Amino acid sequence: MDGVGEQTGEREGTAAGLNDTLARLVASLLVVRCSGHLADGQRRYPRWELDNATLQRLLSAGVGGVILLGGSAAELRLRTRQLQDWAATDLLLCADVEEGVGQRFEGASWLVPPLALGRLHGDDPGAAEELAERYGRCSGREARALGLNWVLGPVCDVNNNPANPVINVRAWGETPATAGALAAAFVRGAQAEGVLCCAKHFPGHGDTASDSHLELPLLPLSRKRLEAVELPPFRAAIAAGVSSVMTAHLLLPELDRERPATLSAAVLTGLLRHDLGFGGLVVTDALVMEAITAHHGAGEAAVLALEAGADLVLMPADADAAMAAIVAAVEQGRLKRERLEASAERRRLALASLQGNSLAPAGSVAEACPEPLGSLAAAGCRATDASEPLGPLSNGPISADQQLALELVQRSLLHQGGRVTLPAGSPGAAPAINLIRVDTALGCPFLQPTAPALTRATAAGFRTVVLDGWSPSPWRIRPAAVSDPGAQEPGVAAPVTANGTSIATDGPLDLPRLGEGPVLLQLFVRGNPFRGSAAGREPWEAVIRQLQASGRLAGLAVYGSPYLWESLQPLLEEGIPAAWSPGQMPLAQAELLTALGLGTPAGRGDGFTD
């Protein structure tokens, strides 16, 4: 009996070991979300960003990747080291830094959106492609310096639909040729600096009028159409050696009538693997997005994605549920273990490619940029030492990257009509209004108290009024029973406020409530996740007509969407100062306002601190 007991114990121990090995294999294929800040209380988005105790538990259980958002460059450097110390394996450490690392982490380079270069490409393809490669090099070396090894870009979507609410200026082009050429140049530049890149969102999110963060878009596109428009940029990125491809949460009935691309074997295995010949990592877009969660639970979505051909599961709605469901699917024979091992091998090879084709011991991946790579060395940067803990970012971006950021802003800026002037007399002698439109002023990264859009207008005598979803509305509301002479044609969405109330279009601004004096109109409008539109239902054309008819339009600044600029610019009377920049960051504001004649304030306009 003792012998039987020993044999039973040995079998149970072996089974437990196999189960633990499977659990770690499954965990290695998950990428979870956390804050770039160090402390739990600093999380910006606690709904999605895991607390530190949960992170430690999951990383020690073998979870293989983390996507980060928020914090400064210095914090991110500490955070990536901390995460790697908690981990049982070398981590994939990534971020959505599509517009430079400074887009997400203060202290690094914040570059104009890619579509700025797409617009330049039509006039000067050679210059645009050279700038795109420099853009990639800047992003790659700064990411690596801070401990990131995976840049979730380039966006390979062709933004051929101006009403696209979520891609918009994130795309590298509005035609397949432009998007492909510039995305490939970005990949070559960034991966030369020692990071992985990710082409997204396969097979193409550019021609959507709805946001997959909120709902599942349906694209009735034929295979012929996909081959002509959506797929060429992905083919170009793959030819350039891109390390990974991210899926799109889109329903394409011509390819799969039942499942979105992220969960479709026809799209991921048939189209991407077999037809396009991609052999690298396939990662899902975030599975917490409503396009997925509205139809599938966290566990089932993860299993379906792996069944379809994904290698990595990004941001499952519940990491524990996802892992448990995947383990169960393997044990039940629904998923083959060999299939997951193939994904783990692709992951290993991707990490190995960053270490001279030999995977270094756990912990070393997060030791970012111990020696300068590529153009960083050419720029004269030395190896990281104690006096330069952030390497090339120890005192902010290096000179070459500062010059790149400025050149991109200046080359993409459009200006007409001269300089903003106030009524006769000294600045501020008459009331004047700086009307700023943003999605939300709360925690807005480009509209801090020292932002030029605020300080320069204040120094010129303008009183700032911010229009967002939280502020008192300046709109005239159209009574339901009253005919509006400026109402939209049938079938066209009527202008509405943030809470859905109809706006009058025969002079939409409530000017008596807004106040007297000339109005400097500054519109920050672009596609943004979770917004559902790019300000497409706000009546800015009617606002321009109203302000000009009353002689009150002092100037127009549009930051972001070229489509809004193109709809407003033809309406401007001769001599009205106006400008557009695809960028919204302070550097873009400063250059645009300088062009409008609002230079650097002579005194301090940022107030006294507490």
Side-chain angles (χ1 to χ4, degrees), residues 386-472:
S387 66
E388 294 184 322
L390 301 182
L393 284 167
S394 290
N395 192 32
I398 61 174
S399 176
D401 292 335
Q402 293 180 41
Q403 293 169 10
L404 172 65
L406 181 59
E407 182 179 356
L408 289 170
V409 168
Q410 291 176 337
R411 294 193 68 154
S412 58
L413 179 67
L414 297 181
H415 167 235
Q416 67 177 53
R419 302 161 69 87
V420 172
T421 57
L422 290 175
S426 60
I433 298 165
N434 175 32
L435 182 57
I436 294 179
R437 185 271 178 207
V438 292
D439 284 331
T440 175
L442 299 177
C444 185
F446 54 79
L447 202 64
Q448 300 301 310
T450 55
L454 297 171
T455 59
R456 295 197 181 187
T458 298
F462 288 87
R463 172 179 60 87
T464 294
V465 175
V466 176
L467 167 61
D468 72 354
W470 298 87
S471 305

Side-chain angles (χ1 to χ4, degrees), residues 164-237:
N164 195 314
V166 67
I167 301 301
N168 200 262
V169 293
R170 299 165 61 196
W172 283 94
E174 296 156 296
T175 67
T178 293
L182 297 180
F186 176 91
V187 168
R188 290 192 297 269
Q191 292 192 169
E193 296 293 342
V195 297
L196 308 172
C197 282
C198 184
K200 60 187 187 184
H201 307 83
F202 187 83
H205 207 314
D207 196 13
T208 54
S210 56
D211 181 359
S212 54
H213 294 81
L214 301 173
E215 57 186 309
L216 179 62
L218 186 148
L219 286 180
L221 304 179
S222 68
R223 176 62 184 266
K224 182 179 180 181
R225 156 59 193 264
L226 290 172
E227 289 288 355
V229 178
E230 278 73 23
L231 296 182
F234 290 97
R235 290 188 185 276

